[in-house]
Amino acid sequence: MSGRPSPRGELDLSLVLVSLYKGVVQRDTHERAWQHLLHLQPQVRDHVGVVGLQLVVDESEGYAYLRQRPEDDDATTDAPRLVARRQLSFPVSLLLALLRRRLALHDAEGGDVRLVLTREQMVEMVRVFVPESSNDARVVDQVETSIAKVVELGFLRRLPGDDGALEVRRILKSFVDAEWLHDFDARLAAYRDVLAGQETA
């Protein structure tokens, strides 16, 4: 489909809603749903608002998703949550933090809008925070497990080919914001302490 507006009568609200309920809608991987969404935002907001959800759209970065309305807004209702809170493991949190930092540095340097990393590069990113005495095979296995989880969460996308390259999805900026990044050094220091404790336990 071309990148421009469809006539109002051809817009497909069902396509947009189903795509959003299934997960993040990305401009480059959900092209049709994305184009329809751009013209149906008021209708989508009305629809998902009935079930306690908010539509988040970042047109410049090219993604959209649903999130639970802030709890204060739901204070007068007993409606169950449709978007479950996810408790991330420590290794996954660490990898997300490092990817977010790497994305910020990449953006500051300019050039290609896409940040593509290999599995080996991610292992090296994490290895910096692991005590030298750590079992290397265990570190690699742990990073691979974390990468799989981050792919499942939608913050990484495996690229075609057998070189293990993955794209860092820009929606990560929405979940790890500038304020969080400002405290990055302190958070990484905390990560080092946790890892050191795990190693000596």
Side-chain angles (χ1 to χ4, degrees):
M1 183 173 179
S2 71
R4 229 20 273 181
S6 302
R8 177 70 59 179
E10 297 177 8
L11 295 175
D12 190 340
L13 180 60
S14 295
L15 168 69
V16 175
L17 290 172
V18 170
S19 300
L20 285 167
Y21 281 126
K22 291 173 69 176
V24 177
V25 171
Q26 307 266 5
R27 179 172 50 204
D28 56 352
T29 56
H30 304 82
E31 185 178 354
R32 186 162 174 261
W34 174 260
Q35 291 301 331
H36 286 239
L37 168 63
L38 293 180
H39 301 283
L40 290 169
Q41 293 184 52
Q43 294 91 326
V44 173
R45 292 184 198 282
D46 288 345
H47 184 93
V48 302
V50 173
V51 291
L53 300 177
Q54 285 183 327
L55 171 66
V56 179
V57 180
D58 189 324
E59 294 191 29
S60 62
E61 298 289 3
Y63 60 77
Y65 62 93
L66 300 177
R67 70 181 178 192
Q68 197 75 33
R69 217 162 43 204
E71 290 186 1
D72 286 346
D73 291 350
D74 294 328
T76 58
T77 76
D78 295 322
R81 293 178 63 88
L82 287 178
V83 180
R85 291 189 176 93
R86 302 191 185 195
Q87 186 68 40
L88 301 179
S89 68
F90 170 75
V92 171
S93 297
L94 174 60
L95 180 58
L96 287 173
L98 293 171
L99 291 174
R100 179 63 179 90
R101 176 67 166 173
R102 189 67 174 262
L103 185 60
L105 295 173
H106 177 79
D107 288 347
E109 293 170 354
D112 192 344
V113 70
R114 294 201 314 168
L115 171 59
V116 176
L117 299 172
T118 64
R119 185 203 68 161
E120 289 72 22
Q121 287 175 306
M122 293 186 212
V123 169
E124 290 307 309
M125 288 165 54
V126 172
R127 202 193 303 275
V128 174
F129 298 91
V130 176
E132 292 183 1
S133 58
S134 298
N135 182 296
D136 191 64
R138 180 183 172 192
V139 172
V140 173
D141 286 346
Q142 192 172 64
V143 173
E144 288 183 339
T145 300
S146 298
I147 288 174
K149 183 62 180 179
V150 175
V151 169
E152 178 187 324
L153 292 171
F155 299 125
L156 281 174
R157 179 167 71 107
R158 298 188 191 279
L159 299 178
D162 58 2
D163 59 354
L166 298 103
E167 178 187 356
V168 181
R169 307 295 277 163
R170 303 192 66 79
I171 192 174
L172 180 58
K173 295 175 66 175
S174 178
F175 287 86
V176 183
D177 59 20
E179 181 179 355
W180 191 98
L181 203 60
H182 180 72
D183 299 328
F184 185 76
D185 289 340
R187 292 175 187 276
L188 286 188
Y191 288 149
R192 285 193 181 95
D193 291 342
V194 171
L195 286 170
Q198 289 179 344
E199 189 66 17
T200 57

